[in-house]
Amino acid sequence: MNAFDFLTKDRIRAPEQGITMMLDKGMGPNMVEDFLEISGPYVDLAKFGWGTSAIHERELIKYKIDTYLSNDIIPYPGGTLFELAYIRDKLDKFLAEADELGFRAIEISDGTVDITPEERNRIIGEVKELGFMVLTEVGKKDPKKDHHFTALDRVNLVTLDLESGADKVIIEGREGGKDLGIYNNKGDVKEEDVQVLVDYLDVNKLIWEAPQKNQQAYLILKFGSNVNLGNISPEEITSLETMRRGLRGDTLGKVDL
Protein backbone atom coordinates (compact mmCIF):
# COMPACT_ATOMS: atom_id res chain seq x y z
CA MET A 1 0.00 0.00 0.00
CA ASN A 2 1.31 3.43 -0.94
CA ALA A 3 1.45 6.30 1.49
CA PHE A 4 -1.54 8.65 1.15
CA ASP A 5 -3.30 6.04 -0.98
CA PHE A 6 -6.66 7.67 -0.13
CA LEU A 7 -5.63 10.68 -2.27
CA THR A 8 -4.59 8.78 -5.39
CA LYS A 9 -5.69 6.09 -7.76
CA ASP A 10 -3.75 3.93 -10.20
CA ARG A 11 -3.40 4.91 -13.81
CA ILE A 12 -5.61 2.69 -15.99
CA ARG A 13 -3.70 1.82 -19.14
CA ALA A 14 -4.78 0.18 -22.36
CA PRO A 15 -2.23 -2.05 -24.13
CA GLU A 16 0.62 -0.10 -25.77
CA GLN A 17 -0.43 3.17 -24.15
CA GLY A 18 1.12 5.24 -21.39
CA ILE A 19 4.61 4.00 -22.19
CA THR A 20 7.54 5.61 -20.39
CA MET A 21 10.94 5.13 -21.98
CA MET A 22 13.86 5.84 -19.62
CA LEU A 23 17.30 6.91 -20.79
CA ASP A 24 20.06 4.94 -19.06
CA LYS A 25 23.27 6.90 -19.66
CA GLY A 26 25.55 4.35 -18.01
CA MET A 27 24.08 3.60 -14.59
CA GLY A 28 25.93 1.09 -12.44
CA PRO A 29 24.22 -2.12 -11.29
CA ASN A 30 23.63 -0.86 -7.75
CA MET A 31 22.15 2.36 -9.08
CA VAL A 32 19.84 0.37 -11.34
CA GLU A 33 18.66 -1.80 -8.46
CA ASP A 34 18.07 1.19 -6.18
CA PHE A 35 16.26 3.03 -8.96
CA LEU A 36 14.01 0.09 -9.78
CA GLU A 37 13.05 -0.37 -6.13
CA ILE A 38 11.39 3.03 -6.08
CA SER A 39 10.54 3.82 -9.72
CA GLY A 40 10.58 0.48 -11.54
CA PRO A 41 6.77 0.17 -11.82
CA TYR A 42 6.66 3.38 -13.85
CA VAL A 43 9.13 2.36 -16.59
CA ASP A 44 8.34 0.27 -19.67
CA LEU A 45 11.42 0.68 -21.85
CA ALA A 46 15.05 1.24 -20.86
CA LYS A 47 17.30 2.63 -23.57
CA PHE A 48 21.03 2.12 -23.09
CA GLY A 49 21.84 5.57 -24.48
CA TRP A 50 23.68 5.98 -27.78
CA GLY A 51 26.80 3.73 -27.61
CA THR A 52 27.19 3.43 -23.83
CA SER A 53 26.69 -0.33 -23.80
CA ALA A 54 29.78 -0.77 -26.01
CA ILE A 55 32.26 0.62 -23.45
CA HIS A 56 31.27 -1.42 -20.41
CA GLU A 57 32.07 -5.02 -19.53
CA ARG A 58 29.85 -7.49 -21.36
CA GLU A 59 28.83 -9.32 -18.17
CA LEU A 60 27.92 -6.02 -16.52
CA ILE A 61 25.66 -5.11 -19.43
CA LYS A 62 24.08 -8.55 -19.34
CA TYR A 63 23.47 -8.22 -15.60
CA LYS A 64 21.74 -4.88 -16.08
CA ILE A 65 19.63 -6.28 -18.93
CA ASP A 66 18.56 -9.23 -16.77
CA THR A 67 17.71 -6.84 -13.93
CA TYR A 68 15.49 -4.75 -16.17
CA LEU A 69 13.80 -7.84 -17.60
CA SER A 70 13.09 -9.21 -14.12
CA ASN A 71 11.20 -5.97 -13.47
CA ASP A 72 9.11 -6.30 -16.65
CA ILE A 73 11.07 -3.56 -18.43
CA ILE A 74 12.19 -4.02 -22.03
CA PRO A 75 15.84 -2.96 -22.50
CA TYR A 76 17.36 -1.98 -25.83
CA PRO A 77 20.59 -0.47 -27.19
CA GLY A 78 20.58 3.11 -28.46
CA GLY A 79 20.08 3.96 -32.11
CA THR A 80 23.59 5.39 -32.54
CA LEU A 81 25.07 1.94 -31.91
CA PHE A 82 22.76 0.53 -34.58
CA GLU A 83 23.92 3.25 -36.98
CA LEU A 84 27.57 2.43 -36.28
CA ALA A 85 26.93 -1.24 -37.01
CA TYR A 86 25.13 -0.27 -40.21
CA ILE A 87 27.88 1.91 -41.66
CA ARG A 88 30.54 -0.67 -40.72
CA ASP A 89 28.54 -3.45 -42.39
CA LYS A 90 28.29 -5.39 -39.11
CA LEU A 91 24.53 -5.35 -38.68
CA ASP A 92 24.23 -9.14 -38.50
CA LYS A 93 26.86 -9.30 -35.72
CA PHE A 94 25.18 -6.41 -33.91
CA LEU A 95 21.81 -8.16 -33.91
CA ALA A 96 23.34 -11.48 -32.85
CA GLU A 97 25.16 -9.81 -29.96
CA ALA A 98 22.03 -7.91 -28.92
CA ASP A 99 20.13 -11.20 -28.84
CA GLU A 100 22.84 -13.01 -26.85
CA LEU A 101 22.98 -10.20 -24.30
CA GLY A 102 19.22 -10.37 -23.83
CA PHE A 103 18.06 -7.13 -25.40
CA ARG A 104 14.40 -7.49 -26.42
CA ALA A 105 14.06 -4.46 -28.70
CA ILE A 106 16.11 -2.71 -31.35
CA GLU A 107 16.02 0.97 -32.27
CA ILE A 108 16.42 1.62 -35.99
CA SER A 109 17.39 5.21 -36.72
CA ASP A 110 19.27 7.39 -39.15
CA GLY A 111 19.91 10.38 -36.93
CA THR A 112 23.55 10.70 -38.00
CA VAL A 113 23.72 8.51 -41.13
CA ASP A 114 21.67 8.20 -44.30
CA ILE A 115 19.58 5.10 -44.97
CA THR A 116 17.33 4.82 -48.00
CA PRO A 117 13.63 4.07 -47.46
CA GLU A 118 14.13 0.73 -49.21
CA GLU A 119 16.99 -0.22 -46.89
CA ARG A 120 15.04 0.93 -43.86
CA ASN A 121 12.08 -1.21 -44.91
CA ARG A 122 14.33 -4.23 -45.38
CA ILE A 123 16.04 -3.79 -42.01
CA ILE A 124 12.77 -3.36 -40.12
CA GLY A 125 11.51 -6.60 -41.64
CA GLU A 126 14.72 -8.44 -40.82
CA VAL A 127 14.75 -7.29 -37.20
CA LYS A 128 11.07 -8.21 -36.78
CA GLU A 129 11.72 -11.70 -38.14
CA LEU A 130 14.39 -12.17 -35.47
CA GLY A 131 11.74 -11.61 -32.80
CA PHE A 132 12.75 -8.17 -31.55
CA MET A 133 10.34 -5.38 -30.77
CA VAL A 134 11.11 -2.74 -33.41
CA LEU A 135 11.38 0.90 -32.43
CA THR A 136 12.25 3.35 -35.18
CA GLU A 137 13.19 6.98 -34.78
CA VAL A 138 12.31 9.86 -37.10
CA GLY A 139 14.51 12.95 -37.18
CA LYS A 140 18.13 14.04 -37.42
CA LYS A 141 20.43 14.84 -34.51
CA ASP A 142 21.95 17.83 -36.32
CA PRO A 143 19.44 20.69 -36.06
CA LYS A 144 20.44 22.08 -39.47
CA LYS A 145 19.55 18.76 -41.12
CA ASP A 146 16.47 18.22 -38.98
CA HIS A 147 15.07 21.62 -39.95
CA HIS A 148 14.76 20.41 -43.54
CA PHE A 149 11.87 18.15 -42.46
CA THR A 150 8.38 19.59 -42.52
CA ALA A 151 5.70 18.16 -40.27
CA LEU A 152 4.25 16.37 -43.31
CA ASP A 153 7.68 14.91 -44.09
CA ARG A 154 7.69 13.40 -40.60
CA VAL A 155 4.17 12.07 -41.13
CA ASN A 156 5.33 10.30 -44.30
CA LEU A 157 8.41 8.84 -42.60
CA VAL A 158 6.39 7.55 -39.64
CA THR A 159 3.80 6.05 -41.99
CA LEU A 160 6.46 4.20 -43.98
CA ASP A 161 8.01 2.76 -40.81
CA LEU A 162 4.66 1.58 -39.46
CA GLU A 163 3.75 0.02 -42.81
CA SER A 164 7.11 -1.77 -42.74
CA GLY A 165 6.26 -3.32 -39.37
CA ALA A 166 7.65 -0.97 -36.71
CA ASP A 167 5.93 -1.39 -33.35
CA LYS A 168 6.45 2.23 -32.27
CA VAL A 169 8.02 5.29 -33.87
CA ILE A 170 10.02 7.68 -31.73
CA ILE A 171 9.86 11.39 -32.55
CA GLU A 172 13.42 12.65 -32.15
CA GLY A 173 14.05 15.16 -29.38
CA ARG A 174 17.50 14.09 -28.14
CA GLU A 175 18.57 14.34 -24.52
CA GLY A 176 18.22 18.12 -24.40
CA GLY A 177 14.86 18.59 -26.15
CA LYS A 178 15.80 21.75 -28.02
CA ASP A 179 15.79 22.84 -31.67
CA LEU A 180 14.77 19.42 -33.02
CA GLY A 181 11.58 17.69 -34.04
CA ILE A 182 8.57 19.30 -32.37
CA TYR A 183 10.67 21.67 -30.23
CA ASN A 184 12.04 25.13 -30.98
CA ASN A 185 15.44 26.41 -29.88
CA LYS A 186 14.06 27.27 -26.43
CA GLY A 187 12.59 23.81 -25.88
CA ASP A 188 9.01 24.98 -26.35
CA VAL A 189 6.59 22.76 -28.23
CA LYS A 190 5.78 23.74 -31.81
CA GLU A 191 2.04 23.19 -31.45
CA GLU A 192 1.20 23.42 -35.15
CA ASP A 193 3.69 20.66 -35.98
CA VAL A 194 2.27 18.43 -33.25
CA GLN A 195 -1.23 18.96 -34.59
CA VAL A 196 -0.19 17.97 -38.11
CA LEU A 197 1.31 14.74 -36.81
CA VAL A 198 -1.77 13.75 -34.84
CA ASP A 199 -4.13 14.75 -37.66
CA TYR A 200 -2.57 12.02 -39.82
CA LEU A 201 -1.21 9.46 -37.36
CA ASP A 202 -2.33 7.24 -34.50
CA VAL A 203 -0.81 8.96 -31.46
CA ASN A 204 -0.66 5.61 -29.65
CA LYS A 205 1.96 4.47 -32.17
CA LEU A 206 4.24 7.38 -31.32
CA ILE A 207 6.74 7.87 -28.51
CA TRP A 208 7.51 11.55 -28.00
CA GLU A 209 10.99 12.22 -26.71
CA ALA A 210 10.27 14.79 -24.00
CA PRO A 211 13.18 15.29 -21.60
CA GLN A 212 11.97 18.63 -20.23
CA LYS A 213 9.17 19.11 -17.70
CA ASN A 214 7.30 21.70 -19.79
CA GLN A 215 7.28 19.28 -22.73
CA GLN A 216 5.96 16.43 -20.61
CA ALA A 217 3.24 18.64 -19.15
CA TYR A 218 2.16 19.90 -22.57
CA LEU A 219 1.88 16.40 -24.05
CA ILE A 220 0.04 15.02 -21.01
CA LEU A 221 -2.46 17.88 -21.05
CA LYS A 222 -3.00 17.52 -24.81
CA PHE A 223 -3.21 13.74 -25.08
CA GLY A 224 -3.96 12.57 -21.55
CA SER A 225 -2.13 10.66 -18.85
CA ASN A 226 -1.37 7.72 -21.13
CA VAL A 227 0.61 9.52 -23.81
CA ASN A 228 3.85 7.68 -24.69
CA LEU A 229 6.92 9.62 -23.54
CA GLY A 230 10.63 8.93 -23.93
CA ASN A 231 14.16 10.06 -23.08
CA ILE A 232 13.14 10.52 -19.48
CA SER A 233 16.12 10.59 -17.11
CA PRO A 234 16.04 8.14 -14.18
CA GLU A 235 15.75 10.92 -11.62
CA GLU A 236 12.66 12.29 -13.39
CA ILE A 237 10.66 9.04 -13.62
CA THR A 238 8.80 9.43 -10.33
CA SER A 239 8.23 13.11 -11.08
CA LEU A 240 6.75 12.23 -14.48
CA GLU A 241 4.43 9.64 -12.94
CA THR A 242 3.10 12.22 -10.48
CA MET A 243 2.43 14.53 -13.42
CA ARG A 244 0.59 11.75 -15.25
CA ARG A 245 -1.60 11.23 -12.16
CA GLY A 246 -2.34 14.89 -11.47
CA LEU A 247 -0.16 14.95 -8.37
CA ARG A 248 1.87 17.96 -9.49
CA GLY A 249 0.78 21.54 -9.96
CA ASP A 250 1.20 21.37 -13.74
CA THR A 251 -1.58 18.80 -14.08
CA LEU A 252 -3.49 18.92 -10.77
CA GLY A 253 -7.21 18.67 -11.53
CA LYS A 254 -6.52 18.61 -15.27
CA VAL A 255 -6.09 14.91 -16.08
CA ASP A 256 -8.44 11.94 -16.06
CA LEU A 257 -7.30 8.54 -14.87
Side-chain angles (χ1 to χ4, degrees):
M1 177 184 297
N2 290 341
F4 301 104
D5 66 309
F6 54 89
L7 291 176
T8 66
K9 57 182 179 179
D10 291 338
R11 205 163 34 103
I12 299 174
R13 297 171 51 180
E16 300 188 352
Q17 294 181 22
I19 290 172
T20 296
M21 177 260 279
M22 185 201 73
L23 180 61
D24 180 333
K25 296 183 285 185
M27 296 165 66
N30 292 336
M31 288 180 65
V32 170
E33 291 170 359
D34 286 346
F35 162 77
L36 291 175
E37 184 175 356
I38 194 165
S39 296
Y42 313 128
V43 179
D44 303 279
L45 300 168
K47 174 164 69 174
F48 286 53
W50 44 97
T52 54
S53 53
I55 63 169
H56 292 150
E57 288 289 336
R58 193 172 186 278
E59 289 306 309
L60 173 61
I61 294 300
K62 194 171 188 313
Y63 180 84
K64 286 177 60 177
I65 290 170
D66 290 343
T67 303
Y68 282 125
L69 290 173
S70 68
N71 284 269
D72 297 321
I73 296 169
I74 298 174
Y76 68 98
T80 301
L81 201 60
F82 159 83
E83 293 178 30
L84 179 63
Y86 175 79
I87 62 174
R88 292 192 177 175
D89 197 26
K90 296 185 182 295
L91 194 53
D92 288 345
K93 287 187 176 181
F94 167 76
L95 294 173
E97 175 75 338
D99 183 52
E100 289 179 13
L101 288 168
F103 284 117
R104 297 288 176 84
I106 296 293
E107 180 181 315
I108 297 169
S109 66
D110 58 1
T112 54
V113 302
D114 293 318
I115 303 177
T116 66
E118 294 77 17
E119 269 287 272
R120 196 169 169 104
N121 175 280
R122 180 188 66 79
I123 294 168
I124 291 172
E126 178 183 336
V127 175
K128 283 288 285 186
E129 286 183 8
L130 291 172
F132 291 104
M133 177 184 187
V134 173
L135 305 166
T136 64
E137 187 174 64
V138 166
K140 294 292 185 180
K141 299 191 182 302
D142 181 344
K144 291 181 180 179
K145 293 182 178 180
D146 193 73
H147 291 170
H148 289 299
F149 292 121
T150 66
L152 281 175
D153 288 334
R154 296 183 204 277
V155 167
N156 292 332
L157 292 169
V158 170
T159 300
L160 286 172
D161 283 355
L162 292 174
E163 290 177 347
S164 297
D167 294 287
K168 299 287 185 188
V169 179
I170 300 165
I171 304 300
E172 175 72 81
R174 298 207 72 179
E175 182 188 357
K178 289 184 178 180
D179 209 20
L180 286 170
I182 62 169
Y183 307 120
N184 65 20
N185 58 8
K186 295 181 179 180
D188 296 325
V189 176
K190 295 188 284 188
E191 297 186 33
E192 291 182 1
D193 284 17
V194 171
Q195 193 58 52
V196 171
L197 290 172
V198 299
D199 282 346
Y200 290 91
L201 301 168
D202 179 358
V203 70
N204 294 320
K205 290 292 185 179
L206 304 177
I207 298 176
W208 310 89
E209 290 191 339
Q212 296 189 27
K213 186 190 80 163
N214 66 298
Q215 299 163 357
Q216 298 160 14
Y218 172 86
L219 293 165
I220 289 169
L221 292 174
K222 183 172 180 64
F223 299 114
S225 295
N226 287 325
V227 63
N228 301 322
L229 299 175
N231 268 19
I232 311 300
S233 63
E235 61 269 21
E236 294 296 327
I237 293 295
T238 291
S239 174
L240 172 60
E241 186 63 21
T242 62
M243 208 182 307
R244 288 188 186 275
R245 298 191 189 197
L247 296 171
R248 191 167 179 173
D250 307 81
T251 57
L252 179 63
K254 301 174 183 177
V255 293
D256 294 321
L257 299 177

